[in-house]
Amino acid sequence: MSNPTPPSISVIGDLLLAIGANAAPALAVPDGYTLLPSGDERIAVAVRGAVRHGVAADGTHWLALADLVAGDPAEGTAAYAGEAVQAGWRGRFAQLLWQPGRARLVAVTDHFSTLPLYVFRHGGDCYLASDLRLLAALPQCARTIDKVAVYHYLNFGCIPAPHTICREIAHLEPGTRATWDAGTLNLERYFLPDYPQDLDGDDDRLAAALRERIVSTVHDYRPESEAAAWGCFLSGGTDSSSIVSILARQQPKRRVRSFSIGFAEAGYDELDFARLAAEACGAEPSFATVGREQTTSLVESIVRHYDQPFGNASAVPTLACADLARRQGVDVLLAGDGGDEIFGGNQRYAKDWVMESFYRLPAPLKALGRAIGHGAGRSSNHFLQRVDNFFRRSSLPNPDRFYTDDSFASDYYEKLLTPAFRAEVGRDASLEFMRELYARGGEEASPLHRIMRLDLSMAIAQNDLVKVHGACKASGVSVRYPYVDPALVAYTGRLPARFKVRRTHKRYLFKRAMAEVLPEAILRKKKQGFGLPIAVWLRSDAAFIEMVKGVLFDARARARGWFEPACVEALIEEHMRGSWDHSGAIWQMLVLELWLRRHLDGT
């Protein structure tokens, strides 16, 4: 194997490794991949793109996709013997380690699995890849669709690790050291967000210290290479605006480039705030809009490039934004993902504080509220139904209460899913999965921190980062995430919960810390998010409605035998009437069907 390749900020590449007496000799090298020498005839390695590799002094071979601001893949070989030195690294990585002559392999994912690794076991052989489709294409893989994974997808909008769409393939979880040793796979988590809450004191002093930490972290993630053409996502939200503003102050001689996407439909973007942030800090902004016609082509791109079904509709504007940057010569983008989950910015954190207050009331008062809600829920009025929803959810403990934000398939279990599907998947399968995640890390953390940790494990690691990585990889752009920096996450974990959400005030300390960085209008604005106006198109755009119905009621979709067509039709009709917003669920079913056709049906 060659000497270690020089450091790189690119992670646009893929790897495939086979280990075993039968696996390696039979592994076909995919088109466009290069076969690397492994030092062992029982190990075959194929790579393309920015995959780094080398051999340590003790003979340990390593292979990595990596973009690190602290750490070096060449020094990560200690993990082969059991020391997860990667726990101290900062940045993105997925690393494989082996020694010739030993039927043993070690794989390590980064703290939030920003670069995926998949595992397929067959007999006494093991295969690992950075793209699920590389493993699904192996003749040994039966490509059996995992109905539990489909159910999770319908509830969460993504397929959470360790599940994948193929029952035979596992997705390594974040912060994991996996060891394949003589036919046995062992998994060890080396990282979970921790919340010791051991920092306390004056609000102003803590805000100043947090600002210093944030500025230092964002600076660390700015590409240092003069050859790097880089910029920033700028949605107009607090997190992306803070990153752009910090970098613009650090580099007064070079204008920071920012990239923003909007829509013709009102209320679905924050372009006005993006313009405000760019003007306030002197950034060099680029703006573009996405319409329904462009979305049709972009959804085809998402289906083509994402290696699993992915139902978060904001992948469309994210891909459009990455494309916009790439067309202007940018090859690295900084993103603000993770800020809500470490600073306390999600609206549902404040909402959960209200619900938790109701949950802690005496039982008679809770019973009265539930009775009022039940009566209101019988109405077809949207507001009264929301009253019932509030009292029903507030009567539940977490994580059950939190789960009801993402429980479409559970809510429509008997109406939507056919008896054959329900025979394989229980109603509470996704809830039990979330309960297991919620239990990790113990009960010592505060109620807020437990759901923030859950969000980092699910909403961030399994959804938002998957979305951004997939979109950027499709466009040929690398991406960095300053706000999921392990050191910054650890620091914010030391701050008591009241500095994140104080009653219903979100981002309490962060806003004080950023008072000298961000315009007041951005600090005070309501959180909007980065959605897609499919709810509007599904009510008013005949061509879009026809396209959706053409896919979901096609003979191929019906032949799967998963969904009751009458329920799907009722969801669409109810949405078109405006009595309820089912756009998210309809979009998820659309993307699922298109993805299966392209990647598993062979048509």
PDB file of all heavy atoms in Angstrom, residues 10 497 593:
ATOM      1  N   SER A  10     -11.434  17.183   1.462  1.00  0.00           N
ATOM      2  CA  SER A  10     -12.475  16.534   0.682  1.00  0.00           C
ATOM      3  C   SER A  10     -12.839  15.177   1.283  1.00  0.00           C
ATOM      4  O   SER A  10     -11.970  14.417   1.710  1.00  0.00           O
ATOM      5  CB  SER A  10     -12.026  16.332  -0.765  1.00  0.00           C
ATOM      6  OG  SER A  10     -13.010  15.612  -1.492  1.00  0.00           O
ATOM      7  N   ALA A 497     -29.471  23.243  32.097  1.00  0.00           N
ATOM      8  CA  ALA A 497     -30.553  23.322  31.113  1.00  0.00           C
ATOM      9  C   ALA A 497     -31.172  24.710  31.046  1.00  0.00           C
ATOM     10  O   ALA A 497     -31.629  25.139  29.980  1.00  0.00           O
ATOM     11  CB  ALA A 497     -31.622  22.275  31.442  1.00  0.00           C
ATOM     12  N   GLU A 593     -41.260   5.097  -2.806  1.00  0.00           N
ATOM     13  CA  GLU A 593     -41.610   4.311  -3.987  1.00  0.00           C
ATOM     14  C   GLU A 593     -40.626   4.555  -5.127  1.00  0.00           C
ATOM     15  O   GLU A 593     -40.169   3.607  -5.782  1.00  0.00           O
ATOM     16  CB  GLU A 593     -43.033   4.645  -4.431  1.00  0.00           C
ATOM     17  CG  GLU A 593     -43.489   3.940  -5.695  1.00  0.00           C
ATOM     18  CD  GLU A 593     -43.479   2.423  -5.584  1.00  0.00           C
ATOM     19  OE1 GLU A 593     -43.666   1.904  -4.463  1.00  0.00           O
ATOM     20  OE2 GLU A 593     -43.279   1.748  -6.618  1.00  0.00           O
TER      21      GLU A 593
END
